[in-house]
Amino acid sequence: MPSEFEVIARYFSRHTRTASLGIGDDAALVMPSVDSELAIACDTLVSGTHFFADVEPAALGHKSLAVNLSDIAAMGGRPRWALLAITLPEANAAWLEAFSEGFFSLAKQFGVELIGGDTSRGPLTITVTIIGEVVAGRALRRDQASDGDDLWVSGQIGSAALALQHLRGNLRLKGLALEQSMVRLLAPVPRVELGRALLGVASSAIDVSDGVLADAGHIAQCSGVGMDIHLADIPYLPELTRFKADPLFQHALLAGGDDYELLFTAAPDQSARIAAISTELALDLTRIGRVRDGSSVDILDENGIAMEISVKGHDHFA
Ligand code: ADP
Ligand code: MG
């Protein structure tokens, strides 16, 4: 079995171009760009909680970085550097090879450099810390939505949650529906370009990690506003239409986590700009609701009547 230092050298040390000092010293050194604020976040994936222990290691490498890139996307930032703290039950060469391949291919796609981390032995757990940059004073926050804004969402919602239900045996997806949903669960694409395009356009933003209802609730609470969301307007993959009547479907749309799409608010006079961004990025952007006075987030049926909803978003301690 390779030693800790061999693991770091073989699988995680890569030459860095933008960091003044990368892996190998007690700390990395980076120089932020002028007029930027650093946007910093971390996310942990725990075996058995966030993924099945036998998940494809390349997918895990991809996802451990993707969920962090998504947080930078939600702030309207440009991701730049990452740190990787990995706890492994054993140093399996094939597993590490695939994991690092998944991690670095996504890192390359988004111009992110791995500049440090920590390696230890124990139950499989991965924590990535991401450092991004955002134009000073312009970040997309959760606390700036205002009465009258529209509520928008990118891409499609619920696919990752339905793929998970499939893996758990609660639903049977097939063909294209299965293929596409599984990609959303295992290898989500962080909406980094969208976040940056929304600077100066959106009034607030969040990434959908806990479910639309819970994440809209986070914006509502931070901004001190209420929201109405039209259930029928929440976009989903057309391949999943035949599951519409399944109770798991509505649950996935409202409370399914793991989609990593962006949910954002914008003044109605930004609609044309948002449509242009959608075309530019070839990414669906759908208006699903409205910000209003109050504090509740209501889900409206086809008649505009608030529905009785008992579903809640993901909460590790609930
Ligand atoms: P220290 O004992 O000073 O904390 P380590 O021996 O843990 O240093 O790490 C040596 C170097 O390798 C450091 O630069 C650290 O950031 C880096 N490193 C350790 N583990 C990882 C990892 N999984 N991915 C990337 N860099 C790592
Ligand atoms: Mg250390």
Coordinates of all heavy atoms in Angstrom, one line a residue, residues 232-294:
A232 N -46.9 23.9 -11.1 CA -47.0 23.4 -12.5 C -45.9 24.1 -13.3 O -45.6 23.6 -14.4 CB -48.3 23.8 -13.1
D233 N -45.2 25.1 -12.8 CA -44.2 25.8 -13.6 C -42.8 25.3 -13.3 O -41.8 25.7 -14.0 CB -44.2 27.3 -13.3 CG -45.5 28.0 -13.9 OD1 -46.1 27.3 -14.8 OD2 -45.8 29.1 -13.5
I234 N -42.6 24.4 -12.3 CA -41.3 23.9 -11.9 C -40.9 22.9 -13.0 O -41.6 22.0 -13.3 CB -41.3 23.2 -10.6 CG1 -41.7 24.2 -9.5 CG2 -39.9 22.7 -10.2 CD1 -41.8 23.6 -8.1
P235 N -39.8 23.2 -13.7 CA -39.4 22.4 -14.9 C -38.8 21.1 -14.5 O -38.0 21.0 -13.6 CB -38.3 23.3 -15.6 CG -37.7 24.1 -14.5 CD -38.8 24.3 -13.4
Y236 N -39.1 20.1 -15.3 CA -38.5 18.7 -15.1 C -38.1 18.2 -16.4 O -38.6 18.6 -17.5 CB -39.5 17.8 -14.3 CG -40.8 17.7 -14.9 CD1 -41.1 16.9 -15.9 CD2 -41.8 18.6 -14.4 CE1 -42.4 16.8 -16.5 CE2 -43.1 18.5 -15.0 CZ -43.4 17.7 -16.0 OH -44.6 17.6 -16.6
L237 N -37.3 17.1 -16.4 CA -36.9 16.5 -17.7 C -38.1 15.9 -18.3 O -38.9 15.1 -17.7 CB -35.9 15.3 -17.4 CG -34.5 15.6 -17.1 CD1 -33.8 14.3 -16.7 CD2 -33.8 16.3 -18.2
P238 N -38.4 16.2 -19.6 CA -39.5 15.6 -20.3 C -39.6 14.1 -20.2 O -40.7 13.6 -20.2 CB -39.4 16.1 -21.8 CG -38.1 16.9 -21.8 CD -37.6 17.0 -20.5
E239 N -38.4 13.5 -20.2 CA -38.4 12.0 -20.1 C -39.1 11.5 -18.8 O -39.4 10.3 -18.7 CB -37.0 11.5 -20.2 CG -36.3 11.5 -21.5 CD -35.9 13.0 -21.9 OE1 -35.8 13.8 -21.0 OE2 -35.6 13.2 -23.1
L240 N -39.3 12.3 -17.8 CA -39.8 11.9 -16.6 C -41.3 12.1 -16.5 O -42.0 11.8 -15.5 CB -39.1 12.6 -15.4 CG -37.6 12.3 -15.3 CD1 -37.0 13.2 -14.2 CD2 -37.5 10.8 -14.8
T241 N -41.9 12.6 -17.6 CA -43.4 13.0 -17.6 C -44.2 11.8 -17.1 O -45.2 12.0 -16.4 CB -43.8 13.4 -19.0 OG1 -42.9 14.5 -19.4 CG2 -45.2 14.0 -18.9
R242 N -43.9 10.6 -17.5 CA -44.8 9.5 -17.2 C -44.8 9.1 -15.7 O -45.6 8.3 -15.3 CB -44.5 8.3 -18.1 CG -43.2 7.6 -17.8 CD -43.0 6.4 -18.8 NE -42.2 5.4 -18.3 CZ -42.6 4.4 -17.5 NH1 -43.9 4.4 -17.1 NH2 -41.8 3.4 -17.0
F243 N -43.9 9.8 -14.9 CA -43.9 9.5 -13.5 C -44.7 10.6 -12.7 O -44.7 10.6 -11.5 CB -42.5 9.4 -12.9 CG -41.7 8.3 -13.5 CD1 -40.9 8.4 -14.6 CD2 -41.9 7.0 -12.9 CE1 -40.2 7.3 -15.1 CE2 -41.2 5.9 -13.5 CZ -40.4 6.1 -14.6
K244 N -45.3 11.5 -13.5 CA -45.9 12.7 -12.9 C -46.9 12.4 -11.8 O -47.0 13.1 -10.8 CB -46.7 13.5 -14.0 CG -46.1 14.9 -14.1 CD -46.9 15.7 -15.1 CE -47.4 17.0 -14.4 NZ -48.0 17.9 -15.3
A245 N -47.6 11.3 -11.9 CA -48.7 10.9 -11.0 C -48.1 10.2 -9.7 O -48.8 10.1 -8.7 CB -49.7 10.0 -11.6
D246 N -46.8 9.8 -9.8 CA -46.2 9.2 -8.6 C -46.0 10.2 -7.5 O -45.5 11.3 -7.7 CB -44.9 8.6 -9.1 CG -44.3 7.5 -8.0 OD1 -44.2 7.9 -6.9 OD2 -44.0 6.4 -8.5
P247 N -46.4 9.8 -6.3 CA -46.2 10.8 -5.1 C -44.8 11.2 -5.0 O -44.5 12.3 -4.5 CB -46.7 10.0 -3.9 CG -47.4 8.8 -4.4 CD -47.1 8.6 -5.9
L248 N -43.8 10.3 -5.4 CA -42.4 10.6 -5.2 C -42.0 11.8 -6.2 O -41.0 12.5 -5.9 CB -41.6 9.4 -5.6 CG -41.6 8.2 -4.6 CD1 -40.8 7.0 -5.1 CD2 -41.1 8.7 -3.2
F249 N -42.8 11.9 -7.2 CA -42.5 12.9 -8.2 C -42.6 14.4 -7.7 O -41.7 15.2 -7.8 CB -43.4 12.8 -9.5 CG -43.0 13.6 -10.6 CD1 -42.0 13.2 -11.5 CD2 -43.6 14.9 -10.8 CE1 -41.7 14.0 -12.6 CE2 -43.2 15.7 -11.9 CZ -42.3 15.2 -12.8
Q250 N -43.8 14.6 -7.1 CA -44.0 15.9 -6.5 C -43.0 16.2 -5.4 O -42.5 17.3 -5.2 CB -45.4 16.0 -5.9 CG -45.7 17.4 -5.4 CD -47.1 17.5 -4.8 OE1 -48.1 17.1 -5.5 NE2 -47.3 18.1 -3.7
H251 N -42.7 15.2 -4.6 CA -41.7 15.3 -3.5 C -40.4 15.7 -4.1 O -39.7 16.5 -3.6 CB -41.7 14.0 -2.7 CG -40.9 14.1 -1.5 ND1 -39.5 14.0 -1.4 CD2 -41.3 14.5 -0.2 CE1 -39.1 14.2 -0.2 NE2 -40.2 14.5 0.6
A252 N -40.0 15.0 -5.2 CA -38.7 15.3 -5.8 C -38.6 16.8 -6.4 O -37.6 17.4 -6.2 CB -38.4 14.3 -7.0
L253 N -39.8 17.2 -6.9 CA -39.8 18.6 -7.4 C -39.6 19.6 -6.3 O -39.0 20.7 -6.5 CB -41.1 18.9 -8.2 CG -41.3 18.4 -9.6 CD1 -42.6 18.9 -10.1 CD2 -40.1 18.8 -10.5
L254 N -40.3 19.4 -5.2 CA -40.3 20.4 -4.1 C -39.2 20.2 -3.1 O -38.7 21.2 -2.6 CB -41.7 20.3 -3.4 CG -42.9 20.8 -4.2 CD1 -44.1 20.6 -3.5 CD2 -42.7 22.2 -4.7
A255 N -38.8 19.0 -2.8 CA -37.9 18.7 -1.7 C -36.7 17.9 -2.1 O -35.9 17.5 -1.3 CB -38.7 18.0 -0.6
G256 N -36.6 17.5 -3.4 CA -35.5 16.7 -3.8 C -34.2 17.6 -3.8 O -34.2 18.6 -4.5
G257 N -33.2 17.1 -3.1 CA -32.0 17.9 -3.1 C -31.1 17.5 -4.3 O -31.5 16.9 -5.2
D258 N -29.8 18.0 -4.3 CA -28.8 17.5 -5.2 C -28.9 17.8 -6.6 O -28.2 17.3 -7.4 CB -28.8 15.9 -5.1 CG -27.6 15.5 -4.1 OD1 -27.0 16.3 -3.5 OD2 -27.4 14.2 -4.1
D259 N -29.8 18.8 -7.0 CA -29.9 19.2 -8.4 C -28.8 20.1 -8.8 O -28.3 20.2 -9.9 CB -31.2 19.8 -8.7 CG -32.3 18.7 -8.8 OD1 -32.1 17.7 -9.6 OD2 -33.4 18.9 -8.2
Y260 N -28.4 21.0 -7.8 CA -27.3 22.0 -8.0 C -27.6 22.9 -9.2 O -26.7 23.4 -9.9 CB -25.9 21.3 -8.2 CG -25.6 20.6 -6.9 CD1 -25.8 19.2 -6.8 CD2 -25.4 21.3 -5.7 CE1 -25.6 18.6 -5.6 CE2 -25.2 20.7 -4.5 CZ -25.3 19.3 -4.4 OH -25.2 18.6 -3.2
E261 N -28.9 23.2 -9.4 CA -29.3 24.3 -10.3 C -29.3 25.6 -9.5 O -29.1 25.5 -8.3 CB -30.7 24.0 -10.8 CG -30.8 22.8 -11.7 CD -30.0 22.9 -13.0 OE1 -29.7 24.1 -13.4 OE2 -29.8 21.9 -13.7
L262 N -29.5 26.7 -10.1 CA -29.5 28.0 -9.4 C -31.0 28.4 -9.3 O -31.7 28.4 -10.3 CB -28.7 29.0 -10.0 CG -27.1 28.8 -10.0 CD1 -26.4 30.1 -10.6 CD2 -26.6 28.5 -8.7
L263 N -31.3 28.9 -8.1 CA -32.6 29.5 -7.9 C -32.3 31.0 -7.6 O -31.4 31.3 -6.8 CB -33.2 28.8 -6.6 CG -34.6 29.1 -6.2 CD1 -35.6 28.5 -7.2 CD2 -34.9 28.4 -4.8
F264 N -33.0 31.9 -8.4 CA -32.6 33.3 -8.2 C -33.8 34.2 -8.4 O -34.8 33.8 -9.0 CB -31.5 33.7 -9.1 CG -31.8 33.5 -10.6 CD1 -32.2 34.6 -11.4 CD2 -31.6 32.3 -11.2 CE1 -32.5 34.5 -12.7 CE2 -31.8 32.2 -12.6 CZ -32.3 33.2 -13.3
T265 N -33.7 35.4 -7.8 CA -34.7 36.4 -7.9 C -34.2 37.5 -8.8 O -33.0 37.8 -8.8 CB -35.2 36.9 -6.6 OG1 -34.0 37.5 -5.9 CG2 -35.7 35.8 -5.7
A266 N -35.1 38.2 -9.5 CA -34.7 39.3 -10.3 C -36.0 40.2 -10.5 O -37.1 39.7 -10.5 CB -34.2 38.9 -11.7
A267 N -35.7 41.5 -10.6 CA -36.8 42.4 -10.9 C -37.4 42.1 -12.3 O -36.7 41.6 -13.2 CB -36.3 43.9 -10.9
P268 N -38.8 42.3 -12.4 CA -39.4 41.9 -13.7 C -38.8 42.6 -14.9 O -38.8 42.0 -16.0 CB -40.9 42.4 -13.5 CG -41.1 42.4 -12.0 CD -39.7 42.7 -11.4
D269 N -38.2 43.8 -14.7 CA -37.6 44.4 -15.9 C -36.3 43.8 -16.4 O -35.7 44.2 -17.4 CB -37.5 45.9 -15.7 CG -36.5 46.3 -14.6 OD1 -35.8 45.3 -14.1 OD2 -36.4 47.5 -14.2
Q270 N -35.9 42.7 -15.7 CA -34.7 42.0 -16.1 C -35.0 40.8 -17.0 O -34.1 40.0 -17.5 CB -33.9 41.5 -14.9 CG -33.3 42.6 -14.0 CD -32.2 43.3 -14.7 OE1 -31.6 42.8 -15.7 NE2 -31.9 44.5 -14.2
S271 N -36.4 40.6 -17.3 CA -36.8 39.4 -18.0 C -36.1 39.2 -19.3 O -35.7 38.1 -19.7 CB -38.3 39.3 -18.2 OG -38.9 39.3 -16.9
A272 N -36.0 40.3 -20.1 CA -35.4 40.2 -21.4 C -33.9 39.8 -21.3 O -33.4 39.0 -22.1 CB -35.6 41.5 -22.2
R273 N -33.3 40.4 -20.4 CA -31.8 40.1 -20.2 C -31.7 38.6 -19.8 O -30.8 37.9 -20.2 CB -31.3 41.0 -19.0 CG -29.8 40.9 -18.7 CD -29.0 41.6 -19.7 NE -27.6 41.0 -19.7 CZ -27.1 40.1 -20.6 NH1 -27.9 39.7 -21.6 NH2 -25.9 39.6 -20.5
I274 N -32.6 38.1 -18.9 CA -32.5 36.7 -18.5 C -32.8 35.8 -19.7 O -32.1 34.8 -19.8 CB -33.5 36.5 -17.3 CG1 -33.0 37.2 -16.1 CG2 -33.7 35.0 -17.0 CD1 -34.0 37.3 -14.9
A275 N -33.7 36.2 -20.5 CA -34.0 35.3 -21.7 C -32.7 35.3 -22.6 O -32.4 34.3 -23.2 CB -35.2 35.9 -22.5
A276 N -32.0 36.4 -22.7 CA -30.8 36.5 -23.5 C -29.7 35.6 -22.9 O -29.0 34.9 -23.7 CB -30.3 37.9 -23.7
I277 N -29.6 35.6 -21.6 CA -28.6 34.8 -20.9 C -28.9 33.3 -21.2 O -28.0 32.5 -21.5 CB -28.6 35.1 -19.4 CG1 -28.0 36.5 -19.1 CG2 -27.7 34.0 -18.7 CD1 -28.2 36.9 -17.7
S278 N -30.2 33.0 -21.1 CA -30.6 31.6 -21.4 C -30.2 31.1 -22.8 O -29.7 30.0 -23.0 CB -32.1 31.5 -21.2 OG -32.6 30.3 -21.7
T279 N -30.4 32.0 -23.8 CA -30.0 31.7 -25.1 C -28.5 31.5 -25.2 O -27.9 30.6 -25.8 CB -30.5 32.8 -26.1 OG1 -31.9 32.9 -25.9 CG2 -30.2 32.4 -27.6
E280 N -27.8 32.5 -24.7 CA -26.3 32.5 -24.7 C -25.7 31.3 -24.1 O -24.7 30.7 -24.7 CB -25.7 33.7 -23.8 CG -25.3 34.9 -24.5 CD -25.2 36.1 -23.5 OE1 -24.5 35.9 -22.5 OE2 -25.9 37.1 -23.7
L281 N -26.2 30.8 -23.0 CA -25.7 29.7 -22.3 C -26.3 28.3 -22.7 O -25.9 27.3 -22.3 CB -25.8 29.8 -20.8 CG -25.1 31.1 -20.2 CD1 -25.4 31.1 -18.7 CD2 -23.6 31.0 -20.5
A282 N -27.3 28.4 -23.6 CA -28.1 27.2 -24.0 C -28.5 26.5 -22.8 O -28.3 25.3 -22.6 CB -27.3 26.3 -24.9
L283 N -29.1 27.2 -21.8 CA -29.6 26.7 -20.6 C -31.0 27.2 -20.3 O -31.2 28.4 -20.3 CB -28.6 27.1 -19.5 CG -29.0 26.7 -18.0 CD1 -29.0 25.2 -17.8 CD2 -28.0 27.4 -17.1
D284 N -31.9 26.3 -20.0 CA -33.3 26.8 -19.7 C -33.3 27.6 -18.4 O -32.7 27.2 -17.4 CB -34.2 25.5 -19.5 CG -34.5 24.8 -20.8 OD1 -34.3 25.4 -21.9 OD2 -34.9 23.6 -20.8
L285 N -34.0 28.7 -18.5 CA -34.2 29.5 -17.3 C -35.7 29.7 -17.2 O -36.3 30.2 -18.2 CB -33.5 30.8 -17.3 CG -31.9 30.7 -17.5 CD1 -31.3 32.1 -17.6 CD2 -31.4 30.0 -16.2
T286 N -36.3 29.3 -16.1 CA -37.8 29.3 -16.0 C -38.3 30.1 -14.8 O -37.8 29.9 -13.7 CB -38.3 27.8 -15.8 OG1 -37.7 27.0 -16.8 CG2 -39.8 27.7 -16.0
R287 N -39.3 30.9 -15.1 CA -39.8 31.7 -14.0 C -40.8 30.8 -13.3 O -41.8 30.3 -13.9 CB -40.6 32.9 -14.6 CG -40.8 34.1 -13.6 CD -41.6 35.2 -14.2 NE -43.0 34.8 -14.2 CZ -43.9 35.2 -13.3 NH1 -43.5 36.0 -12.3 NH2 -45.1 34.7 -13.3
I288 N -40.7 30.6 -12.0 CA -41.5 29.7 -11.3 C -42.4 30.4 -10.2 O -43.2 29.7 -9.6 CB -40.8 28.5 -10.7 CG1 -39.7 29.0 -9.7 CG2 -40.1 27.6 -11.8 CD1 -39.2 27.8 -8.8
G289 N -42.1 31.7 -10.0 CA -42.9 32.3 -8.9 C -42.6 33.7 -8.8 O -42.0 34.4 -9.6
R290 N -43.0 34.3 -7.6 CA -42.9 35.7 -7.4 C -42.6 35.9 -5.9 O -43.1 35.2 -5.0 CB -44.4 36.2 -7.7 CG -44.5 37.7 -7.8 CD -44.7 38.1 -9.2 NE -44.1 39.4 -9.5 CZ -44.8 40.5 -9.9 NH1 -46.1 40.3 -10.1 NH2 -44.2 41.6 -10.1
V291 N -41.8 37.0 -5.7 CA -41.5 37.4 -4.3 C -42.6 38.4 -3.9 O -43.0 39.2 -4.7 CB -40.2 38.1 -4.3 CG1 -39.8 38.6 -2.8 CG2 -39.1 37.1 -4.8
R292 N -43.1 38.2 -2.7 CA -44.1 39.2 -2.1 C -43.8 39.5 -0.7 O -42.9 38.9 -0.1 CB -45.5 38.6 -2.3 CG -45.6 37.2 -1.6 CD -47.0 36.8 -1.3 NE -47.1 35.4 -1.0 CZ -46.6 34.8 0.1 NH1 -46.1 35.6 1.1 NH2 -46.7 33.5 0.3
D293 N -44.6 40.4 -0.1 CA -44.5 40.7 1.3 C -44.9 39.4 2.1 O -45.5 38.5 1.6 CB -45.6 41.7 1.6 CG -45.0 43.1 1.6 OD1 -43.8 43.2 1.5 OD2 -45.8 44.1 1.7
G294 N -44.5 39.4 3.3 CA -44.8 38.3 4.2 C -43.6 37.4 4.5 O -42.5 37.9 4.4

